[in-house]
Amino acid sequence: MLRQKYIGENKHYEIDESFIEKIRDMPRPIGIDIAIQVDEVASDLPSLNFWQQNIAGVSHIDKEPFFFIIEYFHEEDEAPIFFDINEIDVNEYLDLYNNNKIIKLNDNRYTDEHLEKNNQCGATT
């Protein structure tokens, strides 16, 4: 497991190496968007002792929406651990939406700023 470290604001969560590999295997803009979404919601995820949980999300960075599901553990008084991510279809996303198990962000401002900065540095997408 890799522990994320930040300067300034303290956000604590852990990410399994297989989770990172799956993010790296995705098209770069989608992977970055998902990583930013995870970072934004990690501290707000509900805790449930002894049980794996799922949360769905959607990336609108590409022309077609990319629906995904994240598997994680988050026990009370512990940092969440993200261990799996998979692409899902829109029907599965809507089922999770109806059960209020989706990532809710106000806008894509952080993602857009991050992608713009990467493109200015000569990064390829």
Side-chain angles (χ1 to χ4, degrees):
M1 300 267 176
L2 301 175
R3 182 170 299 275
Q4 301 298 307
K5 296 180 182 179
Y6 295 88
I7 297 174
E9 182 180 357
N10 286 331
K11 294 185 181 184
H12 298 284
Y13 53 88
E14 295 181 24
I15 300 175
D16 188 78
E17 290 179 37
S18 64
F19 185 93
I20 293 172
E21 287 302 316
K22 285 188 174 184
I23 291 280
R24 286 183 180 153
D25 289 342
M26 295 177 181
R28 188 171 187 176
I30 292 173
I32 291 171
D33 184 38
I34 292 172
I36 291 169
Q37 289 185 45
V38 166
D39 185 64
E40 289 294 311
V41 300
S43 60
D44 297 326
L45 293 174
S47 62
L48 185 61
N49 291 336
F50 310 112
W51 292 99
Q52 165 192 323
Q53 298 185 72
N54 297 317
I55 190 163
V58 60
S59 173
H60 294 285
I61 291 298
D62 209 356
K63 294 176 186 173
E64 295 292 320
F66 182 87
F67 299 98
F68 60 92
I69 189 166
I70 294 173
E71 297 177 20
Y72 68 95
F73 285 111
H74 188 199
E75 296 192 348
E76 191 172 330
D77 298 325
E78 296 291 329
I81 302 170
F82 298 98
F83 64 90
D84 201 6
I85 181 169
N86 292 294
E87 183 176 7
I88 58 174
D89 63 30
V90 66
N91 291 327
E92 190 171 355
Y93 175 81
L94 291 174
D95 289 342
L96 291 159
Y97 179 88
N98 288 333
N99 290 320
N100 201 28
K101 293 188 178 249
I102 61 164
I103 293 174
K104 297 175 189 165
L105 298 175
N106 292 332
D107 57 33
N108 286 332
R109 179 180 34 145
Y110 299 107
T111 301
D112 294 343
E113 288 173 0
H114 187 75
L115 287 173
E116 184 177 310
K117 189 184 325 181
N118 276 346
N119 286 336
Q120 289 174 353
C121 294
T124 59
T125 56

